Amino acid sequence: MNFFKRFPQYFQWNKPSSPLIELLHRNQMWSTETRLIDEHFFTRLSHQQTPKYFWIGCSDARVPANQIVGLPIGSIFVHRNVGNLVLHTDINCQSALEFAINVLQVEHVIVCGHYSCSAIDSVLDIDSINDTQFVKNWLRSVYHLRMKFDKKLKRILTRSEKCDALCELNVREQVRNVCANNAVQNRWENGDKKLVVHGWIYSVSDGLIRDLGISVESHTDIHHIYKTNPTTAASTEQS
């Protein structure tokens, strides 16, 4: 029995607004259709969670992890935030990463950014971000990354290309941050050769993912993160 119905005295019920009712109806339709295709799908799903992949992506509504790689529910463990950042001060992301590595024993960690990311684009003119102080502070590390590569980025003429180059550089930086995580380091130090950290970027304009050529399999691979050949940011690599 539904817990909320058993103990109604603890809850104040508000009738859902029309848009929310539509979402609930859509959920019922999806559940019914899924069971018609596979009657044991939800039973099987409720008894296991054994994904091989941990996806760190952007919160952008146009970049849903499962759909863009064509995998069913339960195949990917997902963490998303604004700008697909992996910060050592973000206990949410660090906890998800630790859980994925130590508990789920995933074999692949994928940092996937996307081109034309509005969060990354705002860093090109961070002082113009108004009324979003939390966002501004959150993106501070990307601003520092931009300043690190400022001379290279200034060689790129158009704003959109500069944004895309910074999007790629940001993915590389977050891959490096993943590799610095204690759980990841411990897996490698214990001789685990299955764990690989990848850097990808997705294009909303054509629905395709580009592999940035980053596949870190051990401590010795970390220094190659900024030495591979990206699709857009090749001209922005630090010399």
Side-chain angles (χ1 to χ4, degrees):
M1 181 183 292
N2 189 304
F3 178 82
F4 304 111
K5 291 182 178 179
R6 288 179 61 190
F7 304 99
Q9 65 271 28
Y10 296 117
F11 304 95
Q12 292 183 349
W13 294 96
N14 294 313
K15 191 173 183 180
S17 60
S18 296
L20 296 185
I21 290 175
E22 180 183 353
L23 291 180
L24 293 173
H25 287 167
R26 285 179 176 273
N27 168 254
Q28 293 174 354
M29 291 172 59
W30 169 76
S31 176
T32 301
E33 291 171 356
T34 301
R35 280 178 288 166
L36 286 174
I37 296 172
D38 181 354
E39 62 178 320
H40 301 297
F41 177 81
F42 292 109
T43 301
R44 187 170 61 252
L45 196 66
S46 65
H47 289 106
Q48 64 179 5
Q49 182 181 209
T50 56
K52 292 183 179 179
Y53 313 100
F54 177 42
W55 179 282
I56 301 174
C58 184
S59 298
D60 193 301
R62 301 167 297 174
V63 194
N66 286 74
Q67 287 91 327
I68 64 176
V69 292
L71 288 179
I73 295 172
S75 301
I76 306 179
F77 188 58
V78 178
H79 176 82
R80 298 170 70 181
N81 61 49
V82 175
N84 45 273
L85 304 188
V86 181
L87 306 179
H88 73 279
T89 54
D90 179 13
I91 193 171
N92 188 352
C93 181
Q94 292 296 326
S95 298
L97 178 55
E98 184 180 75
F99 187 85
I101 297 297
N102 289 344
V103 180
L104 297 178
Q105 292 287 304
V106 298
E107 297 178 3
H108 300 274
V109 178
I110 302 166
V111 178
C112 186
H114 67 97
Y115 292 126
S116 303
C117 179
S118 57
I120 303 302
D121 181 71
S122 68
V123 173
L124 296 174
D125 189 16
I126 198 166
D127 291 330
S128 67
I129 302 177
N130 299 315
D131 302 322
T132 52
Q133 191 60 45
F134 283 110
V135 175
K136 190 172 183 178
N137 290 337
W138 173 254
L139 295 172
R140 186 63 60 180
S141 65
V142 185
Y143 175 76
H144 293 317
L145 182 66
R146 171 212 157 184
M147 297 308 297
K148 179 180 178 181
F149 290 93
D150 190 52
K151 290 182 180 180
K152 308 295 183 181
L153 289 169
K154 283 181 178 178
R155 298 177 186 174
I156 302 175
L157 298 179
T158 69
R159 170 99 178 209
S160 61
E161 290 179 342
K162 189 176 297 185
C163 173
D164 287 347
L166 187 55
C167 286
E168 291 190 4
L169 290 169
N170 180 54
V171 169
R172 294 172 181 273
E173 185 71 5
Q174 306 320 314
V175 166
R176 188 168 71 171
N177 290 344
V178 169
C179 295
N181 177 271
N182 286 337
V184 174
Q185 294 276 327
N186 289 338
R187 282 268 297 263
W188 283 335
E189 288 175 1
N190 291 330
D192 190 331
K193 297 182 179 180
K194 292 183 178 181
L195 179 61
V196 186
V197 183
H198 309 268
W200 291 357
I201 195 157
Y202 174 74
S203 175
V204 178
S205 63
D206 62 14
L208 296 177
I209 294 172
R210 276 75 171 175
D211 187 339
L212 294 180
I214 310 169
S215 292
V216 184
E217 302 178 12
S218 67
H219 305 85
T220 57
D221 292 334
I222 295 176
H223 68 281
H224 293 303
I225 291 175
Y226 281 104
K227 293 186 178 179
T228 51
N229 296 316
T231 56
T232 299
S235 61
T236 70
E237 289 182 357
Q238 191 178 36
S239 58

